[in-house]
mmCIF file of all heavy atoms in Angstrom:
data_model
loop_
_atom_site.group_PDB
_atom_site.id
_atom_site.type_symbol
_atom_site.label_atom_id
_atom_site.label_comp_id
_atom_site.label_asym_id
_atom_site.label_seq_id
_atom_site.Cartn_x
_atom_site.Cartn_y
_atom_site.Cartn_z
ATOM 1 N N GLY A 1 16.258 19.481 8.232
ATOM 2 C CA GLY A 1 15.109 20.257 8.718
ATOM 3 C C GLY A 1 13.742 19.708 8.360
ATOM 4 O O GLY A 1 12.740 20.429 8.425
ATOM 5 N N MET A 2 13.685 18.346 8.069
ATOM 6 C CA MET A 2 12.449 17.745 7.786
ATOM 7 C C MET A 2 12.152 16.608 8.787
ATOM 8 O O MET A 2 13.023 16.248 9.531
ATOM 9 C CB MET A 2 12.468 17.164 6.358
ATOM 10 C CG MET A 2 12.680 18.222 5.284
ATOM 11 S SD MET A 2 12.792 17.613 3.611
ATOM 12 C CE MET A 2 14.371 16.756 3.639
ATOM 13 N N THR A 3 10.946 16.105 8.805
ATOM 14 C CA THR A 3 10.528 15.093 9.807
ATOM 15 C C THR A 3 10.277 13.789 9.111
ATOM 16 O O THR A 3 9.371 13.670 8.286
ATOM 17 C CB THR A 3 9.281 15.538 10.541
ATOM 18 O OG1 THR A 3 9.516 16.793 11.202
ATOM 19 C CG2 THR A 3 8.874 14.507 11.552
ATOM 20 N N PRO A 4 11.046 12.739 9.436
ATOM 21 C CA PRO A 4 10.765 11.413 8.864
ATOM 22 C C PRO A 4 9.583 10.762 9.505
ATOM 23 O O PRO A 4 9.434 10.837 10.789
ATOM 24 C CB PRO A 4 12.059 10.604 9.145
ATOM 25 C CG PRO A 4 12.606 11.282 10.378
ATOM 26 C CD PRO A 4 12.232 12.746 10.312
ATOM 27 N N VAL A 5 8.661 10.206 8.738
ATOM 28 C CA VAL A 5 7.443 9.585 9.255
ATOM 29 C C VAL A 5 7.320 8.249 8.562
ATOM 30 O O VAL A 5 7.389 8.137 7.322
ATOM 31 C CB VAL A 5 6.212 10.464 9.007
ATOM 32 C CG1 VAL A 5 4.988 9.821 9.617
ATOM 33 C CG2 VAL A 5 6.409 11.862 9.543
ATOM 34 N N ARG A 6 7.079 7.173 9.336
ATOM 35 C CA ARG A 6 6.969 5.850 8.729
ATOM 36 C C ARG A 6 5.701 5.690 7.950
ATOM 37 O O ARG A 6 4.603 6.087 8.415
ATOM 38 C CB ARG A 6 6.982 4.843 9.907
ATOM 39 C CG ARG A 6 6.733 3.410 9.525
ATOM 40 C CD ARG A 6 8.014 2.738 9.038
ATOM 41 N NE ARG A 6 7.753 1.293 8.771
ATOM 42 C CZ ARG A 6 8.722 0.473 8.491
ATOM 43 N NH1 ARG A 6 9.994 0.870 8.395
ATOM 44 N NH2 ARG A 6 8.490 -0.808 8.243
ATOM 45 N N LEU A 7 5.779 5.143 6.745
ATOM 46 C CA LEU A 7 4.616 4.769 5.959
ATOM 47 C C LEU A 7 4.002 3.537 6.508
ATOM 48 O O LEU A 7 4.660 2.494 6.723
ATOM 49 C CB LEU A 7 5.005 4.626 4.503
ATOM 50 C CG LEU A 7 3.842 4.352 3.546
ATOM 51 C CD1 LEU A 7 3.135 5.619 3.185
ATOM 52 C CD2 LEU A 7 4.353 3.651 2.283
ATOM 53 N N PHE A 8 2.659 3.579 6.701
ATOM 54 C CA PHE A 8 1.937 2.370 7.160
ATOM 55 C C PHE A 8 0.970 1.939 6.088
ATOM 56 O O PHE A 8 0.399 2.747 5.302
ATOM 57 C CB PHE A 8 1.164 2.667 8.454
ATOM 58 C CG PHE A 8 2.102 2.571 9.692
ATOM 59 C CD1 PHE A 8 2.990 3.594 9.979
ATOM 60 C CD2 PHE A 8 2.046 1.457 10.515
ATOM 61 C CE1 PHE A 8 3.845 3.514 11.053
ATOM 62 C CE2 PHE A 8 2.859 1.334 11.644
ATOM 63 C CZ PHE A 8 3.751 2.372 11.895
ATOM 64 N N GLY A 9 0.761 0.600 6.011
ATOM 65 C CA GLY A 9 -0.121 0.074 4.964
ATOM 66 C C GLY A 9 -1.578 0.351 5.217
ATOM 67 O O GLY A 9 -2.040 0.451 6.341
ATOM 68 N N CYS A 10 -2.300 0.502 4.135
ATOM 69 C CA CYS A 10 -3.767 0.752 4.204
ATOM 70 C C CYS A 10 -4.452 -0.526 4.721
ATOM 71 O O CYS A 10 -4.278 -1.606 4.161
ATOM 72 C CB CYS A 10 -4.326 1.094 2.835
ATOM 73 S SG CYS A 10 -6.079 1.336 2.765
ATOM 74 N N TYR A 11 -5.233 -0.410 5.759
ATOM 75 C CA TYR A 11 -5.879 -1.571 6.413
ATOM 76 C C TYR A 11 -7.188 -1.942 5.804
ATOM 77 O O TYR A 11 -7.719 -3.015 5.997
ATOM 78 C CB TYR A 11 -5.979 -1.270 7.927
ATOM 79 C CG TYR A 11 -6.300 -2.510 8.751
ATOM 80 C CD1 TYR A 11 -5.299 -3.461 8.900
ATOM 81 C CD2 TYR A 11 -7.479 -2.655 9.393
ATOM 82 C CE1 TYR A 11 -5.567 -4.633 9.666
ATOM 83 C CE2 TYR A 11 -7.768 -3.776 10.185
ATOM 84 C CZ TYR A 11 -6.791 -4.732 10.317
ATOM 85 O OH TYR A 11 -7.052 -5.874 11.083
ATOM 86 N N GLY A 12 -7.794 -0.990 5.058
ATOM 87 C CA GLY A 12 -9.143 -1.235 4.516
ATOM 88 C C GLY A 12 -9.084 -1.727 3.082
ATOM 89 O O GLY A 12 -8.144 -2.417 2.679
ATOM 90 N N PRO A 13 -10.126 -1.411 2.274
ATOM 91 C CA PRO A 13 -10.153 -1.880 0.899
ATOM 92 C C PRO A 13 -8.932 -1.329 0.087
ATOM 93 O O PRO A 13 -8.460 -0.311 0.344
ATOM 94 C CB PRO A 13 -11.421 -1.292 0.351
ATOM 95 C CG PRO A 13 -12.271 -1.064 1.558
ATOM 96 C CD PRO A 13 -11.314 -0.706 2.689
ATOM 97 N N ARG A 14 -8.503 -2.196 -0.919
ATOM 98 C CA ARG A 14 -7.285 -1.845 -1.638
ATOM 99 C C ARG A 14 -7.577 -2.012 -3.140
ATOM 100 O O ARG A 14 -6.961 -2.828 -3.834
ATOM 101 C CB ARG A 14 -6.173 -2.778 -1.237
ATOM 102 C CG ARG A 14 -5.839 -2.669 0.268
ATOM 103 C CD ARG A 14 -5.041 -3.845 0.736
ATOM 104 N NE ARG A 14 -4.917 -3.856 2.179
ATOM 105 C CZ ARG A 14 -4.432 -4.833 2.880
ATOM 106 N NH1 ARG A 14 -4.052 -5.933 2.262
ATOM 107 N NH2 ARG A 14 -4.370 -4.738 4.198
ATOM 108 N N PRO A 15 -8.441 -1.165 -3.678
ATOM 109 C CA PRO A 15 -8.791 -1.348 -5.132
ATOM 110 C C PRO A 15 -7.653 -1.099 -6.069
ATOM 111 O O PRO A 15 -7.515 -1.792 -7.089
ATOM 112 C CB PRO A 15 -9.881 -0.323 -5.336
ATOM 113 C CG PRO A 15 -9.671 0.720 -4.198
ATOM 114 C CD PRO A 15 -9.185 -0.059 -3.077
ATOM 115 N N ASN A 16 -6.736 -0.159 -5.752
ATOM 116 C CA ASN A 16 -5.587 0.114 -6.614
ATOM 117 C C ASN A 16 -4.634 -1.105 -6.623
ATOM 118 O O ASN A 16 -4.107 -1.488 -7.644
ATOM 119 C CB ASN A 16 -4.874 1.386 -6.202
ATOM 120 C CG ASN A 16 -5.699 2.598 -6.518
ATOM 121 O OD1 ASN A 16 -5.743 3.077 -7.610
ATOM 122 N ND2 ASN A 16 -6.368 3.146 -5.459
ATOM 123 N N ALA A 17 -4.397 -1.627 -5.448
ATOM 124 C CA ALA A 17 -3.515 -2.769 -5.329
ATOM 125 C C ALA A 17 -4.093 -3.982 -6.131
ATOM 126 O O ALA A 17 -3.348 -4.700 -6.810
ATOM 127 C CB ALA A 17 -3.313 -3.194 -3.893
ATOM 128 N N GLU A 18 -5.393 -4.201 -5.996
ATOM 129 C CA GLU A 18 -6.010 -5.277 -6.716
ATOM 130 C C GLU A 18 -5.954 -5.068 -8.238
ATOM 131 O O GLU A 18 -5.803 -6.062 -9.028
ATOM 132 C CB GLU A 18 -7.470 -5.420 -6.280
ATOM 133 C CG GLU A 18 -7.695 -5.784 -4.822
ATOM 134 C CD GLU A 18 -6.956 -7.059 -4.438
ATOM 135 O OE1 GLU A 18 -7.029 -8.030 -5.223
ATOM 136 O OE2 GLU A 18 -6.319 -7.111 -3.377
ATOM 137 N N LYS A 19 -5.943 -3.849 -8.636
ATOM 138 C CA LYS A 19 -5.956 -3.545 -10.067
ATOM 139 C C LYS A 19 -4.535 -3.711 -10.677
ATOM 140 O O LYS A 19 -4.350 -4.244 -11.804
ATOM 141 C CB LYS A 19 -6.455 -2.133 -10.341
ATOM 142 C CG LYS A 19 -6.436 -1.709 -11.800
ATOM 143 C CD LYS A 19 -7.024 -0.295 -11.979
ATOM 144 C CE LYS A 19 -7.032 0.149 -13.427
ATOM 145 N NZ LYS A 19 -7.552 1.529 -13.570
ATOM 146 N N TYR A 20 -3.513 -3.274 -9.926
ATOM 147 C CA TYR A 20 -2.175 -3.185 -10.560
ATOM 148 C C TYR A 20 -1.160 -4.238 -10.129
ATOM 149 O O TYR A 20 -0.203 -4.435 -10.857
ATOM 150 C CB TYR A 20 -1.581 -1.774 -10.224
ATOM 151 C CG TYR A 20 -2.289 -0.645 -10.936
ATOM 152 C CD1 TYR A 20 -3.152 0.194 -10.219
ATOM 153 C CD2 TYR A 20 -2.078 -0.401 -12.320
ATOM 154 C CE1 TYR A 20 -3.811 1.275 -10.907
ATOM 155 C CE2 TYR A 20 -2.716 0.640 -12.931
ATOM 156 C CZ TYR A 20 -3.575 1.473 -12.219
ATOM 157 O OH TYR A 20 -4.237 2.481 -12.877
ATOM 158 N N LEU A 21 -1.316 -4.830 -8.974
ATOM 159 C CA LEU A 21 -0.270 -5.694 -8.460
ATOM 160 C C LEU A 21 -0.611 -7.160 -8.759
ATOM 161 O O LEU A 21 -1.728 -7.625 -8.675
ATOM 162 C CB LEU A 21 -0.142 -5.543 -6.937
ATOM 163 C CG LEU A 21 0.311 -4.178 -6.439
ATOM 164 C CD1 LEU A 21 0.507 -4.199 -4.950
ATOM 165 C CD2 LEU A 21 1.547 -3.715 -7.169
ATOM 166 N N GLU A 22 0.484 -7.959 -9.056
ATOM 167 C CA GLU A 22 0.295 -9.363 -9.306
ATOM 168 C C GLU A 22 0.245 -10.086 -7.940
ATOM 169 O O GLU A 22 0.500 -9.547 -6.887
ATOM 170 C CB GLU A 22 1.422 -9.921 -10.181
ATOM 171 C CG GLU A 22 2.777 -9.865 -9.559
ATOM 172 C CD GLU A 22 3.592 -8.621 -9.845
ATOM 173 O OE1 GLU A 22 2.952 -7.571 -10.165
ATOM 174 O OE2 GLU A 22 4.816 -8.664 -9.877
ATOM 175 N N ALA A 23 0.018 -11.386 -8.045
ATOM 176 C CA ALA A 23 -0.250 -12.205 -6.802
ATOM 177 C C ALA A 23 0.953 -12.308 -5.910
ATOM 178 O O ALA A 23 0.852 -12.585 -4.741
ATOM 179 C CB ALA A 23 -0.727 -13.566 -7.215
ATOM 180 N N SER A 24 2.176 -12.073 -6.456
ATOM 181 C CA SER A 24 3.364 -12.217 -5.647
ATOM 182 C C SER A 24 3.490 -11.228 -4.547
ATOM 183 O O SER A 24 4.279 -11.380 -3.612
ATOM 184 C CB SER A 24 4.614 -12.134 -6.533
ATOM 185 O OG SER A 24 4.750 -10.868 -7.176
ATOM 186 N N PHE A 25 2.708 -10.135 -4.621
ATOM 187 C CA PHE A 25 2.717 -9.138 -3.537
ATOM 188 C C PHE A 25 1.732 -9.616 -2.394
ATOM 189 O O PHE A 25 0.540 -9.779 -2.636
ATOM 190 C CB PHE A 25 2.280 -7.796 -4.052
ATOM 191 C CG PHE A 25 3.290 -7.068 -4.863
ATOM 192 C CD1 PHE A 25 3.339 -7.216 -6.227
ATOM 193 C CD2 PHE A 25 4.249 -6.246 -4.247
ATOM 194 C CE1 PHE A 25 4.290 -6.557 -6.995
ATOM 195 C CE2 PHE A 25 5.177 -5.575 -5.015
ATOM 196 C CZ PHE A 25 5.198 -5.703 -6.336
ATOM 197 N N GLY A 26 2.368 -9.870 -1.235
ATOM 198 C CA GLY A 26 1.558 -10.243 -0.097
ATOM 199 C C GLY A 26 0.689 -9.095 0.433
ATOM 200 O O GLY A 26 0.752 -7.986 -0.030
ATOM 201 N N ALA A 27 -0.098 -9.438 1.492
ATOM 202 C CA ALA A 27 -1.090 -8.453 1.984
ATOM 203 C C ALA A 27 -0.476 -7.139 2.486
ATOM 204 O O ALA A 27 -0.961 -6.064 2.248
ATOM 205 C CB ALA A 27 -1.893 -9.141 3.094
ATOM 206 N N LEU A 28 0.687 -7.256 3.186
ATOM 207 C CA LEU A 28 1.277 -6.076 3.764
ATOM 208 C C LEU A 28 1.753 -5.176 2.638
ATOM 209 O O LEU A 28 1.585 -3.953 2.694
ATOM 210 C CB LEU A 28 2.444 -6.448 4.645
ATOM 211 C CG LEU A 28 3.091 -5.343 5.468
ATOM 212 C CD1 LEU A 28 2.110 -4.717 6.454
ATOM 213 C CD2 LEU A 28 4.311 -5.819 6.190
ATOM 214 N N TRP A 29 2.372 -5.728 1.572
ATOM 215 C CA TRP A 29 2.869 -4.959 0.510
ATOM 216 C C TRP A 29 1.741 -4.274 -0.317
ATOM 217 O O TRP A 29 1.881 -3.170 -0.787
ATOM 218 C CB TRP A 29 3.756 -5.803 -0.431
ATOM 219 C CG TRP A 29 4.740 -6.590 0.339
ATOM 220 C CD1 TRP A 29 4.698 -7.918 0.667
ATOM 221 C CD2 TRP A 29 5.880 -6.066 1.029
ATOM 222 N NE1 TRP A 29 5.772 -8.244 1.463
ATOM 223 C CE2 TRP A 29 6.523 -7.158 1.678
ATOM 224 C CE3 TRP A 29 6.484 -4.832 1.129
ATOM 225 C CZ2 TRP A 29 7.696 -6.994 2.416
ATOM 226 C CZ3 TRP A 29 7.674 -4.684 1.831
ATOM 227 C CH2 TRP A 29 8.258 -5.746 2.510
ATOM 228 N N ARG A 30 0.683 -5.018 -0.418
ATOM 229 C CA ARG A 30 -0.498 -4.418 -1.106
ATOM 230 C C ARG A 30 -1.076 -3.249 -0.308
ATOM 231 O O ARG A 30 -1.540 -2.257 -0.847
ATOM 232 C CB ARG A 30 -1.589 -5.499 -1.283
ATOM 233 C CG ARG A 30 -1.119 -6.677 -2.069
ATOM 234 C CD ARG A 30 -2.129 -7.799 -2.147
ATOM 235 N NE ARG A 30 -2.962 -7.655 -3.373
ATOM 236 C CZ ARG A 30 -2.558 -8.021 -4.591
ATOM 237 N NH1 ARG A 30 -1.413 -8.550 -4.770
ATOM 238 N NH2 ARG A 30 -3.363 -7.857 -5.611
ATOM 239 N N GLY A 31 -0.988 -3.334 0.996
ATOM 240 C CA GLY A 31 -1.396 -2.227 1.860
ATOM 241 C C GLY A 31 -0.537 -0.996 1.644
ATOM 242 O O GLY A 31 -1.024 0.133 1.559
ATOM 243 N N TYR A 32 0.789 -1.156 1.529
ATOM 244 C CA TYR A 32 1.692 -0.029 1.229
ATOM 245 C C TYR A 32 1.332 0.587 -0.131
ATOM 246 O O TYR A 32 1.281 1.824 -0.241
ATOM 247 C CB TYR A 32 3.138 -0.515 1.195
ATOM 248 C CG TYR A 32 3.675 -0.945 2.553
ATOM 249 C CD1 TYR A 32 4.525 -2.046 2.614
ATOM 250 C CD2 TYR A 32 3.401 -0.268 3.723
ATOM 251 C CE1 TYR A 32 5.091 -2.453 3.862
ATOM 252 C CE2 TYR A 32 3.946 -0.677 4.947
ATOM 253 C CZ TYR A 32 4.751 -1.756 4.960
ATOM 254 O OH TYR A 32 5.291 -2.152 6.171
ATOM 255 N N PHE A 33 1.127 -0.239 -1.140
ATOM 256 C CA PHE A 33 0.802 0.293 -2.465
ATOM 257 C C PHE A 33 -0.499 1.097 -2.372
ATOM 258 O O PHE A 33 -0.554 2.214 -2.991
ATOM 259 C CB PHE A 33 0.671 -0.889 -3.423
ATOM 260 C CG PHE A 33 0.460 -0.437 -4.846
ATOM 261 C CD1 PHE A 33 1.517 -0.186 -5.693
ATOM 262 C CD2 PHE A 33 -0.814 -0.230 -5.327
ATOM 263 C CE1 PHE A 33 1.339 0.227 -6.996
ATOM 264 C CE2 PHE A 33 -1.026 0.147 -6.673
ATOM 265 C CZ PHE A 33 0.023 0.382 -7.479
ATOM 266 N N GLU A 34 -1.485 0.617 -1.683
ATOM 267 C CA GLU A 34 -2.775 1.340 -1.636
ATOM 268 C C GLU A 34 -2.642 2.662 -0.882
ATOM 269 O O GLU A 34 -3.230 3.655 -1.290
ATOM 270 C CB GLU A 34 -3.818 0.437 -0.959
ATOM 271 C CG GLU A 34 -5.216 0.990 -1.057
ATOM 272 C CD GLU A 34 -5.723 1.059 -2.510
ATOM 273 O OE1 GLU A 34 -5.420 0.093 -3.254
ATOM 274 O OE2 GLU A 34 -6.391 2.056 -2.827
ATOM 275 N N THR A 35 -1.838 2.662 0.134
ATOM 276 C CA THR A 35 -1.590 3.931 0.889
ATOM 277 C C THR A 35 -1.121 4.992 -0.065
ATOM 278 O O THR A 35 -1.543 6.174 -0.053
ATOM 279 C CB THR A 35 -0.620 3.748 2.044
ATOM 280 O OG1 THR A 35 -1.183 2.837 2.996
ATOM 281 C CG2 THR A 35 -0.307 5.065 2.728
ATOM 282 N N VAL A 36 -0.165 4.690 -0.931
ATOM 283 C CA VAL A 36 0.452 5.672 -1.849
ATOM 284 C C VAL A 36 -0.448 5.901 -3.056
ATOM 285 O O VAL A 36 -0.800 7.074 -3.337
ATOM 286 C CB VAL A 36 1.859 5.150 -2.268
ATOM 287 C CG1 VAL A 36 2.466 6.124 -3.305
ATOM 288 C CG2 VAL A 36 2.768 5.031 -1.081
ATOM 289 N N ALA A 37 -0.830 4.837 -3.761
ATOM 290 C CA ALA A 37 -1.569 4.997 -5.010
ATOM 291 C C ALA A 37 -3.023 5.488 -4.720
ATOM 292 O O ALA A 37 -3.615 6.124 -5.601
ATOM 293 C CB ALA A 37 -1.611 3.685 -5.759
ATOM 294 N N GLY A 38 -3.549 5.129 -3.569
ATOM 295 C CA GLY A 38 -4.930 5.526 -3.259
ATOM 296 C C GLY A 38 -5.064 6.914 -2.609
ATOM 297 O O GLY A 38 -6.168 7.303 -2.225
ATOM 298 N N GLY A 39 -3.975 7.668 -2.560
ATOM 299 C CA GLY A 39 -4.045 9.037 -2.013
ATOM 300 C C GLY A 39 -4.212 9.130 -0.539
ATOM 301 O O GLY A 39 -4.715 10.171 -0.050
ATOM 302 N N HIS A 40 -3.785 8.151 0.239
ATOM 303 C CA HIS A 40 -3.965 8.154 1.694
ATOM 304 C C HIS A 40 -2.876 8.924 2.437
ATOM 305 O O HIS A 40 -2.885 8.947 3.684
ATOM 306 C CB HIS A 40 -4.004 6.707 2.204
ATOM 307 C CG HIS A 40 -5.193 5.931 1.698
ATOM 308 N ND1 HIS A 40 -6.459 6.080 2.217
ATOM 309 C CD2 HIS A 40 -5.298 5.010 0.783
ATOM 310 C CE1 HIS A 40 -7.290 5.305 1.605
ATOM 311 N NE2 HIS A 40 -6.644 4.615 0.704
#
């Protein structure tokens, strides 16, 4: 009874990703992290 919705990466600034993620995370993965951690 729920609706699955695809998570998309944040396309703009990513301050949380820059603060918490190491360099091994590429741009797309940093976008996903920012979407979640940044309250998007």
Side-chain angles (χ1 to χ4, degrees):
M2 300 178 290
T3 301
V5 184
R6 174 82 175 188
L7 182 80
F8 280 75
C10 179
Y11 195 67
R14 302 163 187 169
N16 290 281
E18 296 304 317
K19 179 178 179 181
Y20 291 105
L21 298 185
E22 65 266 28
S24 63
F25 285 91
L28 188 63
W29 311 105
R30 302 176 92 81
Y32 292 141
F33 185 88
E34 190 65 38
T35 296
V36 176
H40 295 282

